[in-house]
Amino acid sequence: MRPVVLCVLGLTLGLWSALSIALPANRPTPGFTRVAIETSVGTIVVAVDQKRAPRTSANFLTYVDDGRFDGVTFYRAARRKSDPHYGLIQGGIDTDARRSLPPVTHEPTSRTGILHLDATLSMARPNRPNSAMGNFFITIGATPNMDARGDYIGYAAFGHVVGGMDVVRKILSVPTCCGSGPMRGQMIVNPIRILRARRLDGTPKPTRGVKPWLIGLNKRTAK
């Protein structure tokens, strides 16, 4: 009987995990702030976990509130070789330094407890700690190799998708090519445009000062 009990317990825990991930969907939830990422192929709604990953969440929300994600793209679709229905999509400012903010202090999964499960929102970064800025990724399927373990710092997961996973999967399936190193063959041929990212909960808190990426934008739009 013990194997049966353990099996049922595992299924129950798995179901509970899935339900807990979906809790913030379509309504305000304490400790979370929802953001709508409006793309050229549909809208993705994410909930950032301000309680467990406060620094990473604050960084992401500043990019949102400043409009730094408006007009950028999802530029990477990394499909698993074993099953192309799973993998991750990556978007954000890419290499546009005009939109960047100072790097954020790394919050590893071993500290936050936010693991890279299906539909997890996490920060992309160069191969060094405390270097994440304005690029993020969304997982399709569990990706435990992104979690911190031992001396490996992993990536800073800070939320999850609560609406629009069909859009995420659509982006994962688009044609890719090019790239180098770990991104070889994973760059989206026609990057998916992020039209706008906006808060659905709380009050925006944009930074003050010049926004370099907007300089000359109105003139180009007028033409």
Side-chain angles (χ1 to χ4, degrees):
M1 294 295 291
R2 179 172 293 180
V4 175
V5 172
L6 289 176
C7 182
V8 172
L9 179 60
L11 290 173
T12 302
L13 291 174
L15 179 60
W16 174 251
S17 177
L19 290 173
S20 67
I21 287 175
L23 278 177
N26 302 317
R27 67 174 185 270
T29 303
F32 292 88
T33 295
R34 293 172 302 158
V35 171
I37 304 172
E38 300 170 10
T39 82
S40 56
V41 295
T43 298
I44 303 165
V45 181
V46 297
V48 301
D49 193 330
Q50 293 178 282
K51 183 176 181 179
R52 292 191 290 173
R55 292 178 176 175
T56 312
S57 295
N59 174 72
F60 182 81
L61 289 172
T62 300
Y63 277 90
V64 170
D65 294 345
D66 275 359
R68 293 171 190 266
F69 288 145
D70 299 355
V72 300
T73 64
F74 278 103
Y75 51 84
R76 181 188 181 195
R79 294 179 283 271
R80 291 184 193 171
K81 292 181 179 179
S82 59
D83 189 338
H85 293 97
Y86 299 98
L88 64 86
I89 63 171
Q90 184 171 316
I93 67 171
D94 199 0
T95 58
D96 189 350
R98 299 171 305 164
R99 295 176 183 259
S100 66
L101 292 167
V104 62
T105 302
H106 185 61
E107 292 178 310
T109 57
S110 55
R111 183 187 307 161
T112 64
I114 308 172
L115 303 180
H116 288 86
L117 305 175
D118 182 45
T120 298
L121 175 67
S122 190
M123 292 302 297
R125 59 168 176 79
N127 191 24
R128 59 182 184 276
N130 304 321
S131 59
M133 293 167 57
N135 292 292
F136 58 91
F137 64 90
I138 296 170
T139 60
I140 302 91
T143 316
N145 60 304
M146 299 287 188
D147 297 334
R149 58 187 182 279
D151 294 331
Y152 175 60
I153 65 171
Y155 292 82
F158 65 101
H160 51 270
V161 175
V162 295
M165 271 304 287
D166 57 327
V167 178
V168 174
R169 288 188 285 269
K170 184 184 296 184
I171 296 173
L172 181 68
S173 69
V174 300
T176 57
C177 72
C178 314
S180 61
M183 294 189 183
R184 184 176 180 84
Q186 299 176 356
M187 309 311 290
I188 296 176
V189 174
N190 295 304
I192 304 301
R193 189 171 176 80
I194 295 176
L195 307 175
R196 182 170 69 139
R198 58 187 175 85
R199 284 189 192 230
L200 297 181
D201 305 308
T203 304
K205 300 175 182 178
T207 59
R208 297 180 179 180
V210 177
K211 295 180 170 55
W213 69 95
L214 296 179
I215 296 174
L217 181 63
N218 292 334
K219 292 182 180 179
R220 291 196 298 273
T221 303
K223 294 179 180 180

